[in-house]
Amino acid sequence: MATANTATHSATAHDHHDHEHHDNFITKYIFTTDHKMIGKQFLITGMLWAFIGGLLSVIFRLQLGFPDMNLEWLRPLLGGWITPDGALDPEFYLALVTMHGTIMVFFVLTAGLSGTFSNFLIPLQIGARDMASGFMNMLSYWFFFVSSVIMFISLFIETGPASGGWVVYPPLSALEQAMPGSGLGMTLWLIAMTFFIASSLLGGINYITTVINLRTKGMSFSRLPLTIWAFFLTAIIGLLSFPVLFSAALLLVFDRSFGTSFYLSDIYIGNEALPNTGGSPVLYQHLFWFLGHPEVYIVLLPALGITSEIIATNSRKPIFGYKAMVISMLGITILSFVVWAHHMFVSGMNPFLGSIFMFLTLIIAIPSAVKVFNYLTTLWRGNLIFTPGMLFSIGLVSFFISGGLTGIFLGNSAIDIQLHDTYFVVAHFHLVMGSASFFGLMAGVYHWFPKMFGRMMDARLGYIHFWLTFIGVYLVFFPMHYIGIAGFPRRYYSWTGFEFSNMYTDLNMFVSVAAIITFAAQFIFVFNFFYSMYRGRVASLNPWRSTTLEWTTPLHPGHGNWPGEIPTVYRWPYDYSKPGAKEDFIPQTVPLSATPESNLPHEQELVKLEKEIMADEETELVANEAKQV
Amino acid sequence: MYGFLIAVGILLLLSIIWMVYRIQTLVSVMKGSDKKVATGSNKVNAFMFVLFLVGAGGLMFWYSIKEFDNYNLPVASEHGVITDQLFWITMAVTGVVFIITHILLFWFPYKYQYQENRKADFYPDNNKLEVIWTTVPAVVLALLVIGGWKAWSDITAPAPENSHVVEIMGYQFAWEVRYPGMDNVLGDHDYRLTSATNVSGVDFTDKNALDDFMSPVVVIPKGEPVLFKIRARDVLHSVFAPHMRLKMDAVPGMPTRFWFMPTKTTEEMRAELNDPDFVYEIACTEICGRGHFSMRKEIRVVEPDEFRKWMAEQKPYIVNNPSLVADLPEELKELAEITISEHK
């Protein structure tokens, strides 16, 4: 009943709101509190970052694939980072990989994915007027924006941006003497990340509160679309883990600027013995990975949620094992907090801890496996429509399998001794978290574009974009397994200095070419996105014939989403191809009492209850209206 | 001029693509295909998945077999044989899963592509299936983990008493190798004592340090346990000896260790690989700055007899750097002078 009251209450509150509210350009597009616009802001900013992050990777792939190439032509862009003989500066190479990682993990796949779709979809799919706090939501975006600006500026300073790898392990990141990027660049990195963490927390609190409190009538947790479950759990993970990253960063700031020794001990650098003693660099690694590992799921879970929704819709079949999917995600959420030290098997921590974390790590593979099997069974005997969103979702499942299986090698500490920090790891996480999440993001954009902009994206360009990207990603990352098994270390400017790695120049060249083509293929998407925004075909109200609530809103939903009463929900979101039903989908807003022909036995019993509640509601509504008059 | 021509060419290409795009959009509007649930492209996409499965699968098998000897590094340590075995067992198990799931994932789209007259199966759940595919992976993973755990426990167990100790210290951007000398006990070190002549910061007031010696190469005997005592002087580094399947971070302020048993001498490996230039190497695998990619050290594995001979030939570090012991207290200084005179 509580939800029912909230819903009616906010509906009436909104009516008042509408009368006095006039959007101007600034309140509509810039300092907006409308969750849909904030979602779009995150998306566009995320796309800009993805372009920068991708460009950085193309530059370092040039170095790795064509080490002898004269890069003089990049001087207008990179200036002094091109050495006088036309090569890339080795320190700038490290800056490139560091910024590529930071940008992709945090700015694209956390803010760009979670920020976009949690904001856009949570109120629309649970039937709410907006987020619990529109103002906090606005702050969340603008903290992210400030963070972006600072990180962007750090790319252009003379000593270069942070260059100690995206994990910024001290002492390297703590000591300016160790590399120039650990000076001002690292300071800016820390400031930017602080703003980023604040943004994530503001967003996360909002997502959680909204999902718990603002669900429309009838939208019980067991009727939530899997997207919402995913966003909800993602927000919880973020809320619990980002503060730990903040503490790690704070201690690092102290070590860098105030002479403390949390992470520093026994250091002789630049012909000078530093006074710090008693600190432990391994402490930082524990704190960092306490966020760092859950972060993997922060970027992956929303993608999996989006995929579940899209695969079910376009298979015209209910998602197989809804409960198992939810339990798997819950399992992943909880386990994601107790596996962090598998990144540290050879960091020098107690090997006994290594054993514990090996067991815990391989447990987390089980819910992941369950999810894959459930996706496959959802496709089985479906009636599959290959929209671009569906293609990207299937691509995601493929990457999730390929990258997930190599996790079983790396989670095994004995095998990890050899593979740790080689290209095998690079291949693993680029498939399972990088590409899979990126495909989730793409699937989401193609699928919800009609809701975002009221127009359709061009499907054919979508197909071309998908196939180029899908094949491209495999051509980039699959070969990396081979050079990883061969022992090629990560973050190497060049491998020719060692006998054991003085080979595979051909394969590296191949990878670089594939990377450049894949990067170029993204411009097909960029064109399709912006062109369709203005010139695409006008979408129908429910173009994918989907069951969820967002498709019951007008083509261009205003601030408040539904012009009248918020719809009530009577069923779960996966009634596709129900036997007996006329259409192959029944929206969540259709009462069970209206579909006696397709109700399952246990649903038939619910019909009575449903009728009682509807009658109750009717009298309450009449009473309310009488009061208002 | 060339720049101009290229620009015109690109412009031309773009406008052609643009025209094709517009024409196909108009055609699809004319045909009314946007009103249909699924167009002909549905068939094409469904077929593409099968094509991709066959093409990519073929490419994978071909390359994996052709390149096997290249990417499969020869192994030269006792525990390395075990971890390699675990690796390939895991590869077999995951490989089967990889292939089966991908066949299903790409064949289903073809098999169950949209047909207007067919309806999808309403098949929301099956608890029996869920239980099966929860327990089966759980059991398989448990078996893999137990294998890994046993190996890991053995590898990380304390080194045997008779291990040959070698200290490897990482700094920007090289490794410093120190041997304990005849007493097989390394002298203490203190980072504050580091200087141009005392790179490792050895504390010579510890008498165990007096016979310590440095070596430009890591020389170790075959078939006897070797203990690497690993540390770093400035930032994190990581000792990686790929042929030994050995990796351990070097951490400033926290000494780490790794022991192993070399099984093949450099000469034997050269003969086996038919490569007279083969050497065992150490690389750095923890990002440490500008020269991260160039921290190379050579390991030479020799027969035990040869190793002992080599050890006997080495001169303590203080022999050529007597200034390091000049300020020692009287008692130790005498000891140091005896050591020096013995090796003169």
Side-chain angles (χ1 to χ4, degrees):
Chain A
M1 278 332 273
T3 41
N5 287 337
T6 331
T8 32
H9 176 74
S10 58
T12 45
H14 182 76
D15 286 340
H16 293 292
H17 190 63
D18 235 10
H19 292 302
E20 39 196 80
H21 197 76
H22 298 286
D23 276 335
N24 57 33
F25 182 81
I26 289 182
T27 56
K28 188 168 178 201
Y29 293 108
I30 300 176
F31 294 109
T32 174
T33 55
D34 182 353
H35 71 100
K36 296 184 291 299
M37 189 53 75
I38 294 173
K40 290 177 204 170
Q41 289 175 330
F42 270 109
L43 179 60
I44 302 284
T45 320
M47 279 168 63
L48 281 174
W49 272 121
F51 170 74
I52 297 170
L55 191 66
L56 299 185
S57 72
V58 166
I59 298 173
F60 67 70
R61 269 321 313 183
L62 282 180
Q63 162 63 27
L64 295 177
F66 309 93
D68 301 326
M69 191 185 203
N70 189 331
L71 296 177
E72 201 54 50
W73 54 280
L74 279 172
R75 192 178 292 283
L77 181 66
L78 300 180
W81 294 118
I82 301 291
T83 59
D85 46 344
L88 199 66
D89 182 84
E91 245 141 25
F92 190 65
Y93 171 83
L94 295 178
L96 287 172
V97 295
T98 304
M99 294 314 284
H100 169 74
T102 306
I103 289 169
M104 289 305 196
V105 170
F106 293 111
F107 290 56
V108 178
L109 294 176
T110 305
L113 176 60
S114 213
T116 304
F117 289 103
S118 296
N119 270 310
F120 189 78
L121 289 180
I122 288 177
L124 282 174
Q125 288 201 329
I126 66 170
R129 296 281 176 205
D130 204 319
M131 282 287 174
S133 167
F135 180 72
M136 266 168 70
N137 212 17
M138 179 185 86
L139 275 188
S140 161
Y141 174 75
W142 285 102
F143 271 78
F144 169 54
F145 186 82
V146 172
S147 163
S148 293
V149 169
I150 296 170
M151 198 61 96
F152 188 69
I153 288 171
S154 86
L155 289 170
F156 297 96
I157 59 176
E158 198 188 346
T159 50
S163 334
W166 79 281
V167 296
V168 294
Y169 283 173
L172 183 62
S173 62
L175 303 172
E176 210 171 333
Q177 306 93 304
M179 68 192 319
S182 296
L184 180 60
M186 189 60 211
T187 307
L188 292 176
W189 192 94
L190 286 166
I191 297 171
M193 285 313 294
T194 305
F195 278 103
F196 185 87
I197 292 166
S199 154
S200 281
L201 294 179
L202 285 166
I205 291 170
N206 238 331
Y207 308 150
I208 294 170
T209 321
T210 310
V211 172
I212 293 177
N213 291 315
L214 296 185
R215 281 166 292 124
T216 183
K217 192 173 166 237
M219 183 61 94
S220 59
F221 268 87
S222 59
R223 284 177 182 167
L224 283 181
L226 285 172
T227 35
I228 303 300
W229 269 109
F231 300 147
F232 177 61
L233 295 173
T234 303
I236 292 175
I237 298 177
L239 196 61
L240 295 176
S241 61
F242 267 114
V244 181
L245 177 66
F246 181 66
S247 62
L250 199 64
L251 300 188
L252 188 52
V253 170
F254 285 159
D255 273 9
R256 287 166 54 81
S257 309
F258 306 121
T260 56
S261 307
F262 290 106
Y263 307 134
L264 306 179
S265 184
D266 299 12
I267 291 166
Y268 179 91
I269 194 166
N271 297 324
E272 180 195 15
L274 302 185
N276 312 67
T277 50
S280 163
V282 179
L283 169 65
Y284 174 86
Q285 298 175 27
H286 278 296
L287 291 173
F288 178 85
W289 287 113
F290 190 86
L291 158 93
H293 197 77
E295 172 66 26
V296 171
Y297 296 97
I298 291 176
V299 309
L300 191 59
L301 277 183
L304 291 175
I306 288 169
T307 307
S308 307
E309 182 68 23
I310 295 174
I311 286 190
T313 304
N314 290 300
S315 301
R316 313 311 294 163
K317 257 189 85 183
I319 190 83
F320 182 77
Y322 175 86
K323 264 188 207 150
M325 288 300 231
V326 173
I327 293 169
S328 303
M329 283 200 280
L330 268 170
I332 289 174
T333 303
I334 294 163
L335 287 171
S336 73
F337 284 102
V338 289
V339 298
W340 78 86
H342 67 217
H343 298 265
M344 302 165 56
F345 284 140
V346 293
S347 68
M349 72 171 185
N350 189 327
F352 175 68
L353 270 182
S355 315
I356 302 286
F357 277 94
M358 164 168 45
F359 278 102
L360 290 166
T361 299
L362 294 185
I363 295 177
I364 207 169
I366 297 166
S368 310
V370 170
K371 286 191 82 74
V372 168
F373 295 137
N374 284 349
Y375 284 132
L376 288 175
T377 320
T378 307
L379 293 174
W380 180 68
R381 305 185 78 169
N383 208 9
L384 275 51
I385 303 165
F386 300 110
T387 63
M390 179 68 164
L391 292 176
F392 275 96
S393 299
I394 294 174
L396 180 152
V397 177
S398 172
F399 293 150
F400 189 53
I401 297 171
S402 308
L405 288 173
T406 50
I408 295 171
F409 296 80
L410 297 167
N412 192 326
S413 55
I415 303 176
D416 185 63
I417 296 172
Q418 176 73 3
L419 296 178
H420 180 79
D421 267 347
T422 64
Y423 261 68
F424 196 83
V425 179
V426 178
H428 160 71
F429 72 78
H430 272 98
L431 283 176
V432 79
M433 96 172 226
S435 304
S437 306
F438 177 73
F439 268 44
L441 173 66
M442 282 298 144
V445 172
Y446 278 107
H447 191 78
W448 279 288
F449 190 89
K451 194 73 260 160
M452 286 181 179
F453 302 103
R455 289 172 185 273
M456 305 294 284
M457 284 177 87
D458 186 77
R460 259 165 236 241
L461 288 181
Y463 303 146
I464 297 169
H465 174 220
F466 168 75
W467 284 109
L468 284 177
T469 314
F470 184 57
I471 295 170
V473 165
Y474 265 126
L475 291 184
V476 172
F477 297 117
F478 206 85
M480 288 185 186
H481 292 106
Y482 299 109
I483 60 175
I485 296 169
F488 282 49
R490 282 173 81 178
R491 296 165 179 148
Y492 263 35
Y493 175 75
S494 152
W495 289 291
T496 47
F498 292 85
E499 295 284 325
F500 77 93
S501 62
N502 190 10
M503 56 173 173
Y504 280 131
T505 45
D506 52 343
L507 198 62
N508 270 311
M509 201 187 295
F510 178 82
V511 166
S512 294
V513 172
I516 292 166
I517 294 173
T518 314
F519 179 69
Q522 303 316 305
F523 288 95
I524 299 174
F525 169 78
V526 173
F527 165 77
N528 197 356
F529 184 87
F530 288 104
Y531 181 79
S532 306
M533 200 189 282
Y534 298 102
R535 305 285 302 274
R537 279 192 301 107
V538 174
S540 56
L541 277 183
N542 190 359
W544 318 120
R545 298 177 306 129
S546 184
T547 56
T548 39
L549 282 185
E550 73 272 28
W551 305 107
T552 62
T553 57
L555 191 58
H556 294 283
H559 204 162
N561 296 341
W562 285 269
E565 192 88 7
I566 300 181
T568 307
V569 165
Y570 297 97
R571 58 179 74 231
W572 78 325
Y574 296 108
D575 267 347
Y576 288 106
S577 299
K578 221 172 176 190
K582 283 189 284 297
E583 291 254 30
D584 65 356
F585 71 109
I586 310 175
Q588 283 189 281
T589 50
V590 175
L592 290 170
S593 51
T595 56
E597 70 280 1
S598 67
N599 285 348
L600 301 170
H602 74 275
E603 285 171 335
Q604 201 54 44
E605 282 164 32
L606 289 175
V607 168
K608 224 178 90 190
L609 188 70
E610 188 183 281
K611 276 186 176 151
E612 274 172 29
I613 295 172
M614 280 162 97
D616 269 2
E617 205 43 38
E618 200 64 32
T619 49
E620 200 174 309
L621 209 67
V622 172
N624 273 345
E625 266 166 25
K627 244 185 267 170
Q628 272 179 7
V629 173
Chain B
M1 189 59 195
Y2 273 118
F4 177 72
L5 281 178
I6 290 170
V8 169
I10 290 174
L11 213 66
L12 217 63
L13 195 70
L14 282 178
S15 50
I16 291 171
I17 293 172
W18 172 251
M19 297 261 285
V20 171
Y21 166 70
R22 285 303 294 165
I23 289 168
Q24 72 91 8
T25 314
L26 288 175
V27 167
S28 83
V29 171
M30 287 298 287
K31 286 207 308 215
S33 54
D34 49 297
K35 301 279 189 302
K36 285 191 210 151
V37 171
T39 56
S41 324
N42 217 51
K43 283 198 190 77
V44 177
N45 280 313
F47 181 69
M48 279 291 285
F49 277 116
V50 179
L51 200 66
F52 178 80
L53 175 70
V54 175
L59 206 60
M60 180 185 82
F61 278 112
W62 167 71
Y63 198 81
S64 302
I65 294 165
K66 172 175 107 71
E67 288 287 313
F68 185 79
D69 289 332
N70 268 337
Y71 60 77
N72 190 38
L73 279 187
V75 53
S77 70
E78 214 165 58
H79 76 270
V81 175
I82 298 168
T83 56
D84 267 23
Q85 203 179 7
L86 283 171
F87 177 87
W88 288 110
I89 291 171
T90 312
M91 184 65 89
V93 173
T94 54
V96 169
V97 178
F98 175 75
I99 291 164
I100 292 176
T101 47
H102 267 100
I103 289 176
L104 296 180
L105 181 68
F106 293 142
W107 177 60
F108 284 169
Y110 183 76
K111 176 104 200 289
Y112 301 111
Q113 57 180 290
Y114 183 82
Q115 274 158 1
E116 227 177 309
N117 47 14
R118 199 164 53 96
K119 205 168 180 184
D121 262 16
F122 186 79
Y123 186 45
D125 52 23
N126 181 332
N127 286 342
K128 202 192 273 175
L129 273 180
E130 301 283 1
V131 170
I132 290 173
W133 59 50
T134 309
T135 40
V136 171
V139 171
V140 173
L141 284 170
L143 292 176
L144 289 177
V145 170
I146 288 169
W149 175 63
K150 273 171 133 174
W152 174 252
S153 308
D154 292 344
I155 293 165
T156 56
E161 288 283 315
N162 60 342
S163 302
H164 300 280
V165 177
V166 184
E167 182 193 66
I168 301 186
M169 187 208 63
Y171 63 100
Q172 289 179 325
F173 295 100
W175 305 101
E176 195 63 44
V177 179
R178 180 161 67 119
Y179 281 78
M182 285 308 164
D183 59 356
N184 206 25
V185 179
L186 283 165
D188 285 344
H189 59 84
D190 183 334
Y191 77 103
R192 278 164 292 210
L193 299 173
T194 311
S195 67
T197 44
N198 189 359
V199 184
S200 292
V202 180
D203 179 3
F204 288 99
T205 58
D206 176 12
K207 68 178 190 310
N208 290 327
L210 295 179
D211 63 343
D212 290 4
F213 64 87
M214 307 297 192
S215 168
V217 226
V218 181
V219 181
I220 47 175
K222 175 188 136 183
E224 292 179 16
V226 176
L227 171 64
F228 280 176
K229 289 195 165 180
I230 299 164
R231 64 192 179 93
R233 178 176 98 172
D234 37 36
V235 298
L236 292 173
H237 301 276
S238 188
V239 177
F240 175 40
H243 301 95
M244 303 298 166
R245 307 294 191 261
L246 178 157
K247 189 177 288 141
M248 182 51 72
D249 280 7
V251 186
M254 193 187 85
T256 56
R257 51 180 57 214
F258 201 112
W259 78 271
F260 64 106
M261 186 92 87
T263 52
K264 282 176 196 164
T265 64
T266 304
E267 287 307 322
E268 282 170 348
M269 196 55 109
R270 281 178 181 167
E272 187 184 313
L273 298 175
N274 204 9
D275 173 7
D277 300 324
F278 175 85
V279 281
Y280 295 116
E281 290 171 304
I282 287 178
C284 178
T285 47
E286 186 64 71
I287 182 171
C288 59
R290 188 181 184 90
H292 173 49
F293 66 102
S294 58
M295 287 178 63
R296 181 172 181 270
K297 204 81 195 174
E298 194 186 320
I299 302 180
R300 198 182 306 144
V301 183
V302 296
E303 295 292 346
D305 294 344
E306 204 184 333
F307 176 70
R308 275 172 242 293
K309 201 168 138 240
W310 177 81
M311 282 283 276
E313 282 167 2
Q314 301 305 307
K315 285 182 184 164
Y317 191 62
I318 52 171
V319 174
N320 291 325
N321 299 277
S323 63
L324 288 170
V325 287
D327 301 330
L328 289 185
E330 210 47 48
E331 204 183 359
L332 275 169
K333 200 167 177 180
E334 214 169 302
L335 208 59
E337 270 156 12
I338 293 170
T339 315
I340 292 173
S341 62
E342 267 177 6
H343 287 88
K344 274 267 158 77

